Every structure is written in C-alpha cells, then in structure tokens.
C-alpha cells in the first residue's frame, strides 16, 4: 500500500507494490536498522566503520530513490554520506 500512496509514485512503485511479503518485511527491518544504528557510526574513530555506514546509507537511499519519489531527499542524503568517505579512498576511484 505504501508504494502506491506516495506523493508522486514513479513507474517502478507499481512493481515494488507486488513484491512478496518477505521482501516488504526485510525492507522494513533493514530500514529500521540502517536509520537507527548507522548514524551512530558517523562518530566512531574507526574509518572502516564510517565507510560501512556511508555505503550503507548510499545503498539505502538509492533504493528509496528507485522505489519512490521523494524529490531531492535521497540525493541530499547521498551527498552528505559521501563526506564520510576519506579522501584517500575517494580520490583513488576518480
């Protein structure tokens, strides 16, 4: 019901609506886990945990962007998550 009742559902929302209930349960619990625990990893002095939280949030908000239309909400969060990746890592991939 959530995917079809968004402010402006995108064309893929229809297909996400008909996915199995196990997918919906997994996405709900992963949403709770990522949104509740990953932000605390932003402040951990271990850089590998910050990188894990950055890529977790980037993947999470990419799925939100694919399955729904929330304007620039997901893009803003992805841009902020890139700040958690150290320069040594991000410069090696450019």
């Amino acid at each position: 019901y959530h995917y079809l009742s968004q402010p402006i559902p995108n064309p893929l929302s229809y297909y996400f609506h008909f996915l199995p209930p196990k997918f919906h349960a997994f996405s709900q619990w992963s949403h709770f886990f990522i949104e509740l625990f990953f932000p605390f990893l932003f402040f951990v002095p271990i850089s590998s945990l910050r990188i894990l939280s950055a890529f977790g949030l980037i993947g999470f908000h990419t799925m939100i962007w694919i399955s729904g239309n929330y304007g620039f909400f997901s893009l803003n969060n992805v841009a902020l998550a890139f700040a958690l990746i150290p320069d040594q890592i991000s410069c090696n991939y450019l």
Side-chain angles (χ1 to χ4, degrees):
Y1 180 72
H2 160 73
Y3 295 109
L4 299 179
S5 65
Q6 298 179 56
I8 305 174
N10 68 17
L12 293 177
S13 299
Y14 174 80
Y15 299 106
F16 274 90
H17 175 73
F18 291 107
L19 288 173
K22 288 188 178 186
F23 173 81
H24 295 299
F26 173 75
S27 68
Q28 177 185 2
W29 286 107
S30 65
H31 169 87
F32 290 149
F33 181 77
I34 290 171
E35 289 289 326
L36 288 173
F37 296 114
F38 275 30
F40 292 108
L41 297 178
F42 296 172
F43 305 106
V44 174
I46 303 169
S47 66
S48 60
L49 291 177
R50 284 196 311 266
I51 294 169
L52 172 74
S53 67
F55 285 121
L57 285 174
I58 290 169
F60 174 69
H61 283 288
T62 302
M63 285 304 296
I64 288 177
W65 180 71
I66 290 171
S67 67
N69 185 0
Y70 292 99
F72 292 106
F73 169 71
S74 293
L75 294 175
N76 287 336
N77 285 322
V78 167
L80 291 172
F82 276 117
L84 296 170
I85 302 172
D87 290 337
Q88 296 85 4
I89 293 173
S90 61
C91 291
N92 289 338
Y93 294 109
L94 295 177

